[in-house]
Amino acid sequence: MTTYTATVTVRLKHGVLDPEAETTKRALERLGFELDALRFTEQYEVDLDAESAEVAEERATEMADRLLANPTIHDYDVVVAEA
Amino acid sequence: MTTYTATVTVRLKHGVLDPEAETTKRALERLGFELDALRFTEQYEVDLDAESAEVAEERATEMADRLLANPTIHDYDVVVAEA
């Protein structure tokens, strides 16, 4: 068994409103910064033991499907590396 | 002027308690997943126009210092790429 770190990045689907990002963008503009756009994503770094990177990725994908991401509004991707 | 995307990753400093990550880890365990640890990070992807990647990185770092990260509890890093 090897220890892997699976990084699950969860972002809102294109077209889903993101009031938190919009508020952050406006706050930066009030501070005098100029920016075109701001997107907010969440990342979960999961350390887990698995037989191979493929198995680790499968399990992290299942975690995303079942809990970490909401398929109605989120896209996600999973990247696995040896810890 | 070129458009760059600066990705600011904000994570809790080592030793700072993260109840959200702890709750997520326990919820995954209740679903039957086995994992060693779970860390939660936030990422801001900022699109901005700048003369060079160095200038874009400087400005994104200032955004992190002034608003996106709380220096008492957070570490952050900034990665800049052409959009």
Side-chain angles (χ1 to χ4, degrees):
Chain A
M1 298 279 263
T2 315
T3 302
Y4 295 93
T5 298
T7 302
V8 180
T9 303
V10 178
R11 64 185 71 230
L12 285 170
K13 285 187 177 171
H14 191 74
V16 177
L17 293 178
D18 187 349
E20 183 173 355
E22 194 49 44
T23 303
T24 305
K25 177 170 184 280
R26 267 194 249 123
L28 286 169
E29 287 167 346
R30 269 198 303 276
L31 289 171
F33 292 107
E34 281 172 35
L35 57 160
D36 297 338
L38 185 147
R39 292 172 299 284
F40 179 68
T41 68
E42 299 180 342
Q43 268 187 346
Y44 300 90
E45 295 173 0
V46 182
D47 296 340
L48 69 175
D49 297 322
E51 297 76 34
S52 68
E54 288 69 35
V55 172
E57 185 174 337
E58 250 172 54
R59 282 172 51 199
T61 301
E62 204 189 331
M63 290 180 196
D65 279 335
R66 293 192 60 191
L67 188 83
L68 304 177
N70 174 347
T72 310
I73 57 169
H74 290 139
D75 286 328
Y76 66 84
D77 57 73
V78 176
V79 176
V80 169
E82 269 193 51
Chain B
M1 298 279 263
T2 315
T3 302
Y4 295 94
T5 298
T7 303
V8 181
T9 303
V10 178
R11 64 185 71 230
L12 285 169
K13 286 187 177 169
H14 191 74
V16 177
L17 293 179
D18 187 347
E20 183 173 355
E22 194 49 44
T23 303
T24 305
K25 177 170 184 280
R26 268 195 250 123
L28 286 169
E29 286 167 346
R30 269 198 302 276
L31 288 171
F33 292 107
E34 281 172 33
L35 57 161
D36 296 338
L38 185 147
R39 293 172 298 286
F40 179 68
T41 67
E42 299 180 342
Q43 268 187 349
Y44 299 91
E45 295 173 1
V46 182
D47 295 341
L48 70 175
D49 297 323
E51 297 76 34
S52 68
E54 289 69 35
V55 172
E57 184 173 338
E58 250 171 54
R59 283 173 50 199
T61 301
E62 205 190 330
M63 290 180 197
D65 279 335
R66 294 191 59 191
L67 188 82
L68 304 178
N70 174 347
T72 310
I73 57 169
H74 290 139
D75 286 327
Y76 67 83
D77 57 73
V78 177
V79 176
V80 170
E82 270 193 50

